[in-house]
Amino acid sequence: MSYRTREQLIADFHALEILYPNLVSHEVFGKSYQGRDTILFKIGNPYGGRVMFDGSSHGNERLGSEICYFYAKWLLERTELAAERILERNLTLLVPIVNVDGFPNHRKNMNFESPRVDGVDLNRNFDWNWDGVATTGGGVSDDPISNVYRGPYAESESESRVYRQLWAKYKPKH
């Protein structure tokens, strides 16, 4: 499987928006550390139950972004009754790329504030359990050069803050 670039992936989501204008919309919900737009695509019934998916919190883990796209396409093509029901009953919220600066090659974001900082692992920068033990594989670290560096404080990164605000705005159930 070949992966798309950041620009190709977002362009393909916008193409779905053009093909299905009554079912797809988008909003820019914030900026990354380097000032790139962080984008949410909304698919389905705006009054339905809200379900949110995201891809590429780690910029070098690109499969999640591709899955978001193929899920959106599957929903919109409605070749199965399940897709039609999901569209009718739910508002699917998709953030194809959380780490827009690091995508597609850098696990952490691009916050290089000092020579010793090699970015922040966005997946470990959220306020939930920030000061505890990571429940995901790989642990968590206070060492700025570690692949699992959590950042200097919870939600220190713009990407984490705007994502939390997005959750607060839409209050998805899953």
Side-chain angles (χ1 to χ4, degrees), residues 103-173:
F103 191 89
N105 298 317
H106 202 272
R107 175 185 171 88
K108 299 188 289 183
N109 76 350
M110 303 303 281
N111 179 353
F112 304 139
E113 281 295 313
S114 72
R116 226 179 104 58
V117 175
D118 181 31
V120 174
D121 183 338
L122 297 176
N123 199 38
R124 287 156 174 83
N125 187 243
F126 292 101
D127 62 349
W128 182 85
N129 203 28
W130 182 86
D131 57 354
V133 177
T135 57
T136 59
V140 65
S141 177
D142 291 326
D143 181 355
I145 61 171
S146 167
N147 271 343
V148 292
Y149 174 54
R150 65 184 180 175
Y153 55 89
E155 295 181 359
S156 60
E157 306 309 296
S158 59
E159 298 94 339
S160 303
R161 288 190 302 274
V162 298
Y163 195 80
R164 181 188 44 80
Q165 291 165 1
L166 184 70
W167 269 85
K169 177 180 178 180
Y170 285 99
K171 298 176 178 62
K173 298 295 179 194

Side-chain angles (χ1 to χ4, degrees), residues 10-169:
I10 297 303
D12 286 349
F13 268 96
H14 284 302
L16 292 175
E17 188 174 14
I18 291 167
L19 283 172
Y20 303 96
N22 295 329
L23 292 171
V24 182
S25 63
H26 80 277
E27 73 178 76
V28 173
F29 66 93
K31 298 285 185 182
S32 69
Y33 179 78
Q34 292 182 335
R36 289 185 175 88
D37 290 341
T38 51
I39 303 173
L40 168 73
F41 288 90
K42 301 177 276 189
I43 301 173
N45 179 353
Y47 304 104
R50 296 177 180 146
V51 181
M52 185 181 289
F53 300 97
D54 65 56
S56 297
S57 289
H58 298 141
N60 63 348
E61 295 175 0
R62 300 163 61 181
L63 187 56
S65 297
E66 295 289 338
I67 290 171
C68 282
Y69 174 78
F70 287 117
Y71 179 70
K73 191 173 178 194
W74 174 79
L75 279 178
L76 294 165
E77 289 176 350
R78 294 172 282 200
T79 58
E80 296 178 39
L81 182 58
E84 186 67 41
R85 286 190 174 151
I86 291 169
L87 282 172
E88 290 172 1
R89 298 175 183 172
N90 296 284
L91 178 62
T92 299
L93 306 163
L94 298 172
V95 180
I97 306 171
V98 175
N99 185 357
V100 293
D101 295 339
F103 191 89
N105 298 317
H106 202 272
R107 175 185 171 88
K108 299 188 289 183
N109 76 350
M110 303 303 281
N111 179 353
F112 304 139
E113 281 295 313
S114 72
R116 226 179 104 58
V117 175
D118 181 31
V120 174
D121 183 338
L122 297 176
N123 199 38
R124 287 156 174 83
N125 187 243
F126 292 101
D127 62 349
W128 182 85
N129 203 28
W130 182 86
D131 57 354
V133 177
T135 57
T136 59
V140 65
S141 177
D142 291 326
D143 181 355
I145 61 171
S146 167
N147 271 343
V148 292
Y149 174 54
R150 65 184 180 175
Y153 55 89
E155 295 181 359
S156 60
E157 306 309 296
S158 59
E159 298 94 339
S160 303
R161 288 190 302 274
V162 298
Y163 195 80
R164 181 188 44 80
Q165 291 165 1
L166 184 70
W167 269 85
K169 177 180 178 180

